Amino acid sequence: MSVTCSGSFPDLLCGEDSGIFTGESSPACSSSDLESSVSIEESIAGFIEDERNFVPGFDYLTRFQTQSLDASAREESVAWILKVQAYYNFLPLTSYLSVNYMDRFLYSRRLPDNNGWPWQLLSVACLSLAAKMEETVVPSLLDLQVEGAKYIFETKTIRRMELLVLSVLDWRLRSVTPFSFIDFFACKLDPTGTFMGFLISRATKIILSNIQEASFLEYRPSSIAAAAILCAANEIPNLSLVNPEHAESWCDGLSKEKIISCYRLMQRLVLNDSRRKQPKVIPQLRVTIRARMRSSCDSSSSSSSSSSPTYKRRKLNNYLWVGDDKGGSE
């Protein structure tokens, strides 16, 4: 039997988000408690079996590729969710669940094409539901609408949308996510537990940084988690030579092809992201402006600012549609 962590998952059967992103090293892996090890592996295998019930259908990605669904609108919605997560310091799982609820809803029910406010309303409702599932302190529905929200909705409007989301999702909010697996996969990759804290923390950041990309909708949570752990391992010299093909052996039910494909996509996006974040050297120029010219520019700038259109938030209330039940018919 392969070596597993017997002490790193105390409440795995009850909460798949235990121990996520704590930044602390997990206990070293041990093979002493065989019964516990078997139970953990069976639980992970159960998550792999059930994960297909908590993702959109196989043709969901195709709808974005054919522009039946607006990929840019989804990116904006996910970006807003991540901003609010950072603003309130929500758990990573909260933001991931928000996006998961949104994608599952969009697969089954179309939004009316109405200048973008339905996307905002859906984002607020999904984030509110996820926060109620995972957070100990949840802001009010009005306070949740921060960080550049384009529209502001009344509480009763959001609650009606929450009920619609719950109905479409059949009230299945405790979803299987990549965070259901990363502790276990990190232990498989690092049985001594030496780099567990870093692997979990870095993999979590990689998952969230790529959540806006519609391309990852092709992969199930277990494949995303395995690919993220492998990408995190690349940053550790002792683990950088790990062969992605070996990830299939971590647990029954994993797909080697899907893990490798997801890993390559993730590597490319992580590399591109690191290149974008590299500091640019800007040449320093000495600019001398005469006092008269400066005052003239200041007055001109002030006049232009006062006449420019200001950004106004629109307050949309009592907007909610009654969609058909045709399950995402185009």
Side-chain angles (χ1 to χ4, degrees):
M1 178 178 296
S2 59
V3 178
T4 58
C5 285
S6 60
S8 300
F9 314 97
D11 57 345
L12 182 61
L13 296 177
C14 299
E16 64 269 21
D17 56 325
S18 59
I20 293 175
F21 211 39
T22 60
E24 300 177 357
S25 298
S26 300
C29 300
S30 171
S31 58
S32 59
D33 191 347
L34 296 181
E35 292 184 0
S36 177
S37 300
V38 171
S39 176
I40 291 171
E41 293 209 5
E42 288 178 350
S43 299
I44 294 296
F47 287 151
I48 295 175
E49 178 67 23
D50 292 340
E51 64 181 350
R52 67 175 182 272
N53 299 320
F54 298 98
V55 293
F58 68 92
D59 61 331
Y60 182 58
L61 175 59
T62 306
R63 299 182 189 180
F64 290 104
Q65 295 171 337
T66 59
Q67 298 183 349
S68 175
L69 285 174
D70 189 349
S72 62
R74 180 185 180 275
E75 289 181 7
E76 291 179 4
S77 297
V78 176
W80 178 80
I81 289 173
L82 291 175
K83 288 180 181 179
V84 179
Q85 182 241 344
Y87 182 88
Y88 284 111
N89 198 27
F90 287 160
L91 295 170
L93 180 60
T94 300
S95 54
Y96 194 95
L97 282 177
S98 305
V99 179
N100 176 262
Y101 298 162
M102 182 175 68
D103 285 329
R104 288 162 59 194
F105 179 92
L106 290 172
Y107 178 73
S108 300
R109 189 70 62 94
R110 288 185 62 90
L111 291 176
D113 185 11
N114 202 343
N115 297 328
W117 67 260
W119 283 89
Q120 180 72 50
L121 179 57
L122 177 61
S123 301
V124 175
C126 290
L127 180 57
S128 173
L129 290 172
K132 291 171 184 175
M133 287 293 295
E134 301 300 331
E135 302 298 329
T136 56
V137 178
V138 180
S140 69
L141 292 175
L142 289 178
D143 290 338
L144 199 62
Q145 302 177 76
V146 294
E147 290 298 289
K150 295 181 180 179
Y151 308 93
I152 302 298
F153 303 94
E154 284 188 342
T155 298
K156 61 181 180 181
T157 305
I158 300 173
R159 286 176 177 168
R160 292 174 64 193
M161 188 65 200
E162 286 179 335
L163 288 175
L164 180 58
V165 173
L166 288 169
S167 176
V168 171
L169 300 188
D170 198 23
W171 292 75
R172 295 180 302 166
L173 300 186
R174 178 58 70 185
S175 305
V176 177
T177 73
F179 303 123
S180 308
F181 305 96
I182 59 173
D183 291 58
F184 181 77
F185 290 167
C187 183
K188 285 291 187 178
L189 194 61
D190 178 31
T192 64
T194 305
F195 305 104
M196 283 281 288
F198 174 82
L199 286 173
I200 295 171
S201 174
R202 181 60 180 145
T204 298
K205 291 179 181 179
I206 291 173
I207 291 170
L208 291 187
S209 67
N210 293 320
I211 197 174
Q212 289 179 255
E213 295 289 337
S215 302
F216 285 98
L217 294 170
E218 179 183 351
Y219 305 101
R220 292 185 177 178
S222 59
S223 297
I224 294 175
I229 288 292
L230 289 167
C231 283
N234 286 338
E235 302 179 22
I236 302 176
N238 294 16
L239 302 176
S240 60
L241 298 179
V242 173
N243 191 335
E245 294 185 0
H246 296 163
E248 185 184 26
S249 65
W250 291 349
C251 188
D252 293 338
L254 293 175
S255 169
K256 179 175 67 175
E257 291 75 16
K258 286 294 184 181
I259 291 175
I260 294 177
S261 175
C262 184
Y263 168 70
R264 290 172 178 170
L265 172 63
M266 197 172 287
Q267 262 194 321
R268 186 165 63 251
L269 293 175
V270 169
L271 180 61
N272 291 339
D273 185 61
S274 64
R275 287 175 177 173
R276 287 195 300 267
K277 291 182 178 179
Q278 287 181 351
K280 297 181 179 179
V281 178
I282 301 176
Q284 294 182 351
L285 301 177
R286 177 173 293 181
V287 180
T288 304
I289 304 177
R290 293 181 180 179
R292 182 179 300 176
M293 183 180 297
R294 184 184 299 112
S295 61
S296 175
C297 291
D298 291 344
S299 61
S300 175
S301 175
S302 175
S303 174
S304 175
S305 176
S306 61
S307 62
S308 61
T310 58
Y311 180 81
K312 298 181 180 179
R313 286 185 173 179
R314 297 172 55 191
K315 191 170 184 178
L316 299 177
N317 303 317
N318 301 321
Y319 276 95
L320 201 56
W321 62 92
V322 179
D324 54 34
D325 294 323
K326 295 182 180 180
S329 58
E330 305 296 339

